[in-house]
């Protein structure tokens, strides 16, 4: 009889889910709206979207001081679906609908876009867009112009290569002062049963023109279905190494940089399959970057799609230790079909917390106790369920110094609109940035440079997160240049002073931290 009633309740729940019987839930949500950290304000800000959105990006595209949005669209999971328009929206200010400029940027072009990343690639002061495209198609580059205009320069500026790009990241791998790009390539055929592809490296000549140096600079290693890769300096030598997730491999990978952009495979990670993503942060504040993984843990309740995640602690650059059992207990690491993780300091207490996005459960918050141990908090978002969350990011959309959430909904049998959640119960940012370590170098030609890791406990670090990061000496100061991860550098010869020198970082909320250069 007990089993009968359990079955009856389960069938009723399934029927209600399939028929969107959520009115009581919404009435309850309305009554308890003050308890949610983020409030669903999609209807205020976005028109109807509902494409297969793989990733979201946020950056100021027209230099008006407001954060704009990019949605990388196009499915399906393991074979090409329909080509779709990736969509671009300009921020018009608090409580105002975003202005769509998709056709002004992309015209009638459609993609199998897995990722769009925004940075100034040709050092002209304008934000550029690189679209990473899957299922053996050409990725695309659009250079930003004045007044938020863009021009397509794919044929003249990118390697001519069809590939299946699962992710891409910008960073200066060869220390020549411009941003290069690393790209995960699934290879031809189905990403679920093919042999995989080599991780690609394209070097920038400084003008936004890229050369494919994969064969000479990257390990000859096939990665089977990578959803994510990250530049990160795991050994604190101020060059950019790479963490590469792998869904169909026995383990994910770390590629170590020799300082000149040549990489070797470094076997440093605990071996787990099915990793969807890495996210990097110094979770225990020991000065070394740690990794949180997605979907590579043990199967929960016999459901093959429901897996726990992991915490890999950086053991002073010697190796990464699986610290999940002590830092993320099973009652807080509940296991779902999760997709990505993003760090923020939601309570402004000076340590990195994070949110997990999920296809099968709630998107949920994990709160750091300051030592790297995480506690689960659910029901953080008001409004309708978010059953197809493939991507979410943080940005302050309304300039109230609270992190808002932009969410991309993708994989699933029905189309779900993208979402915008405005921070309500989130603590306004009052925590100062963290300048964790500094190095000064001198070369034989007399050039002196300084490097620093500067974090605001948010990932990824974006230009809109900072008012300034500078080197200061007396009344003089020069700007530092971001070159990947949380890393910055400056040429000290431009300072020309004999006074004591310090690095000062001021985040977007005006919080400042300074650290002297010894």
């Amino acid at each position: 009889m007990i089993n009968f009633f359990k079955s009856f309740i389960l069938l009723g729940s399934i029927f209600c889910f399939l028929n969107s019987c959520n009115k009581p839930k919404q009435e309850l949500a309305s009554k308890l709206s003050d308890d949610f950290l983020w409030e669903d304000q999609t209807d205020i800000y976005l028109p109807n979207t509902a494409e297969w959105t793989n990733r979201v990006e946020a950056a100021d595209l027209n230099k008006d001081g407001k954060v704009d949005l990019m949605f990388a669209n196009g499915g399906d999971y393991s074979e090409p679906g329909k080509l779709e328009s990736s969509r671009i929206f300009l921020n018009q200010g608090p409580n105002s609908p975003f202005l769509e400029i998709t056709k002004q940027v992309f015209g009638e072009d459609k993609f199998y876009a897995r990722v769009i990343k925004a940075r100034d690639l040709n050092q002209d002061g304008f934000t550029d867009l690189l679209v990473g495209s899957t299922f053996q198609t050409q990725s695309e580059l659009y250079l930003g112009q004045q007044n938020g205009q863009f021009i397509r320069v794919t044929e003249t500026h990118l390697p001519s290569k069809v590939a299946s790009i699962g992710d891409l990241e910008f960073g200066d791998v060869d220390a020549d002062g411009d941003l290069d790009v690393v790209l995960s390539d699934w290879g031809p055929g189905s990403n679920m049963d093919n042999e995989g592809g080599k991780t690609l490296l394209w070097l920038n000549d400084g003008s936004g023109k890229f050369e494919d140096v994969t064969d000479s600079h990257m390990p000859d290693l096939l990665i089977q279905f990578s959803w994510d890769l990250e530049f990160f300096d795991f050994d604190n030598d101020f060059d950019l190494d790479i963490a590469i997730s792998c869904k169909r491999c026995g383990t994910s990978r770390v590629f170590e940089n020799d300082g000149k952009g040549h990489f070797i495979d470094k076997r440093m990670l605990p071996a787990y399959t099915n990793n969807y993503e890495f996210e990097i942060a110094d979770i225990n504040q020991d000065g070394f970057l740690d990794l949180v993984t997605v979907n590579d843990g043990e199967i929960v309740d016999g459901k093959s799609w429901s897996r726990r995640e992991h915490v890999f602690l950086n053991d002073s650059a010697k190796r990464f230790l699986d610290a999940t059992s002590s830092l993320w207990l099973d009652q807080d690491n509940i296991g779902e079909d999760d997709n990505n993780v993003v760090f923020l300091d939601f309570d402004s207490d000076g340590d990195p917390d994070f949110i997990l996005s999920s296809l099968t459960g709630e998107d949920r918050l994990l709160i750091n106790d300051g030592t790297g141990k995480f506690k689960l908090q659910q029901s953080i978002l008001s409004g309708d369920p978010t059953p197809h969350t493939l991507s979410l990011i943080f940005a302050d959309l309304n300039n109230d110094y609270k992190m808002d959430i932009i969410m991309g909904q993708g994989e699933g049998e029905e189309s779900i609109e993208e979402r915008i959640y405005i921070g309500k119960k989130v603590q306004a940012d009052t925590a100062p940035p963290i300048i964790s370590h500094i190095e000064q170098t001198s070369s034989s030609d007399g050039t002196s440079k300084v490097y620093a890791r500067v974090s605001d406990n948010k990932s990824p670090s974006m230009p809109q997160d900072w008012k300034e990061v500078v080197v200061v000496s007396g009344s003089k100061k020069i700007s530092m240049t971001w070159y990947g991860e949380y890393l910055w550098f400056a040429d000290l010869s431009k300072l020309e002073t004999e006074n004591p020198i310090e690095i000062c970082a001021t985040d977007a909320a005006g919080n400042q931290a300074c650290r002297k250069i010894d």
Side-chain angles (χ1 to χ4, degrees):
M1 185 67 68
I2 293 175
N3 289 336
F4 168 79
F5 277 112
K6 283 185 176 180
S7 299
F8 181 79
I9 292 170
L10 177 60
L11 287 171
S13 298
I14 292 172
F15 175 85
C16 200
F17 175 77
L18 292 175
N19 289 276
S20 300
C21 304
N22 61 356
K23 182 173 288 187
K25 178 176 180 179
Q26 297 313 310
E27 290 175 354
L28 178 62
S30 177
K31 292 177 182 177
L32 301 180
S33 61
D34 287 344
D35 295 331
F36 292 108
L37 294 172
W38 285 273
E39 182 178 286
D40 187 348
Q41 294 191 4
T42 306
D43 289 346
I44 295 175
Y45 286 101
L46 283 183
N48 187 48
T49 49
E51 290 83 21
W52 180 306
T53 297
N54 291 295
R55 264 194 184 82
V56 185
E57 179 77 325
D60 185 356
L61 299 181
N62 56 358
K63 303 186 71 172
D64 66 352
K66 297 188 285 289
V67 181
D68 310 308
L69 302 179
M70 293 130 272
F71 296 94
N73 295 336
D76 286 341
Y77 185 78
S78 57
E79 61 185 21
K82 66 176 183 178
L83 293 164
E84 290 190 313
S85 296
S86 290
R87 299 179 70 173
I88 312 292
F89 296 93
L90 295 183
N91 191 335
Q92 302 299 290
N95 301 311
S96 298
F98 276 70
L99 173 66
E100 183 164 11
I101 60 165
T102 298
K103 288 192 175 182
Q104 292 94 307
V105 178
F106 297 135
E108 300 300 324
D109 293 343
K110 297 184 178 182
F111 314 100
Y112 299 124
R114 185 76 186 190
V115 55
I116 298 175
K117 289 294 174 72
R119 288 282 181 177
D120 180 7
L121 301 176
N122 57 357
Q123 305 179 78
D124 66 352
F126 300 108
T127 302
D128 309 308
L129 302 178
L130 182 56
V131 180
S133 192
T134 55
F135 300 114
Q136 297 306 108
T137 53
Q138 172 72 48
S139 293
E140 305 277 0
L141 178 60
Y142 298 82
L143 294 183
Q145 310 294 301
Q146 290 185 351
N147 303 318
Q149 301 298 308
F150 290 84
I151 58 171
R152 181 178 177 273
V153 294
T154 301
E155 285 81 7
T156 56
H157 286 61
L158 289 188
S160 178
K161 184 176 183 62
V162 294
S164 296
I165 302 303
D167 190 26
L168 64 90
E169 291 291 343
F170 297 127
D172 184 3
V173 302
D174 51 1
D176 66 350
D178 53 46
L179 294 178
D180 312 301
V181 60
V182 62
L183 310 95
S184 59
D185 181 10
W186 299 341
S190 169
N191 43 36
M192 291 296 288
D193 56 23
N194 67 1
E195 295 181 354
K198 287 181 68 172
T199 305
L200 307 177
L201 180 64
W202 298 348
L203 294 185
N204 190 344
D205 71 354
S207 69
K209 294 182 179 180
F210 292 87
E211 177 188 2
D212 187 350
V213 297
T214 303
D215 290 343
S216 58
H217 287 59
M218 299 295 282
D220 188 14
L221 179 67
L222 298 180
I223 304 293
Q224 295 173 286
F225 200 1
S226 175
W227 286 49
D228 178 74
L229 44 71
E230 300 289 343
F231 276 129
F232 80 133
D233 177 19
F234 80 89
D235 49 6
N236 287 356
D237 63 356
F238 287 102
D239 61 36
L240 293 171
D241 312 301
I242 308 170
I244 307 166
S245 76
C246 187
K247 178 175 172 60
R248 304 292 291 174
C249 309
T251 182
S252 295
R253 299 284 180 170
V254 170
F255 289 173
E256 183 180 21
N257 192 344
D258 69 354
K260 299 179 181 178
H262 296 85
F263 292 85
I264 61 170
D265 181 27
K266 193 88 169 178
R267 296 298 294 268
M268 303 182 68
L269 297 174
Y272 293 99
T273 190
N274 206 60
N275 184 18
Y276 283 18
E277 187 181 65
F278 286 121
E279 197 69 2
I280 54 173
D282 182 4
I283 66 170
N284 58 357
Q285 303 177 74
D286 67 348
F288 289 89
L289 291 177
D290 311 302
L291 297 167
V292 171
T293 69
V294 173
N295 228 323
D296 62 340
E298 66 187 83
I299 294 174
V300 180
D301 296 332
K303 303 170 185 174
S304 61
W305 45 262
S306 180
R307 292 176 178 262
R308 303 192 200 279
E309 343 287 354
H310 285 108
V311 173
F312 295 161
L313 281 187
N314 188 335
D315 183 18
S316 302
K318 296 187 292 292
R319 57 180 175 165
F320 285 87
L321 305 174
D322 183 357
T324 311
S325 61
S326 60
L327 296 181
W328 196 354
L329 304 182
D330 283 356
Q331 65 262 30
D332 301 302
N333 188 2
I334 59 177
E336 292 286 355
D337 190 355
D338 299 323
N339 287 283
N340 80 315
V341 53
V342 193
F343 281 100
L344 84 163
D345 184 5
F346 97 98
D347 48 7
S348 205
D349 65 351
D351 57 49
D353 315 297
F354 65 85
I355 285 185
L356 275 167
S357 71
S358 183
L359 287 182
T360 58
E362 291 185 65
D363 305 309
R364 53 201 189 275
L365 174 67
L366 280 301
I367 303 172
N368 192 335
D369 70 355
T371 70
K373 188 172 183 178
F374 293 97
K375 184 75 175 176
L376 175 65
Q377 181 170 332
Q378 288 185 291
S379 299
I380 59 173
L381 307 174
S382 77
D384 292 338
T386 57
H388 302 158
T389 313
L390 287 181
S391 175
L392 62 79
I393 58 170
F394 297 112
D396 182 6
L397 297 180
N398 56 358
N399 295 325
D400 64 354
Y401 309 132
K402 297 180 180 181
M403 281 294 125
D404 308 308
I405 294 175
I406 307 96
M407 183 183 294
Q409 299 285 313
E411 182 184 337
E413 293 183 0
E414 59 177 328
S415 296
I416 301 294
E417 70 275 9
E418 282 39 90
R419 303 288 175 82
I420 287 180
Y421 294 88
I422 298 300
K424 291 297 182 182
K425 287 285 188 176
V426 181
Q427 174 68 44
D429 184 10
T430 58
I434 298 171
I435 306 172
S436 60
H437 60 294
I438 298 171
E439 180 175 277
Q440 186 173 348
T441 64
S442 297
S443 58
S444 57
D445 63 2
T447 301
S448 178
K449 293 183 179 180
V450 64
Y451 299 84
R453 175 175 287 139
V454 183
S455 169
D456 209 29
N457 282 324
K458 171 190 171 289
S459 67
S461 180
M462 294 295 290
Q464 63 264 17
D465 299 329
W466 302 100
K467 286 189 174 178
E468 63 176 15
V469 180
V470 295
V471 181
V472 181
S473 180
S475 61
K476 298 181 179 180
K477 68 179 181 181
I478 57 172
S479 295
M480 299 190 74
T481 299
W482 177 86
Y483 67 98
E485 191 228 275
Y486 309 109
L487 299 179
W488 301 73
F489 83 93
D491 182 351
L492 294 181
S493 63
K494 298 178 180 179
L495 199 58
E496 296 180 350
T497 179
E498 296 181 358
N499 294 321
I501 298 173
E502 63 180 351
I503 291 174
C504 289
T506 306
D507 65 25
N511 306 300
Q512 186 182 76
C514 294
R515 182 168 172 175
K516 291 182 179 179
I517 301 174
D518 298 327

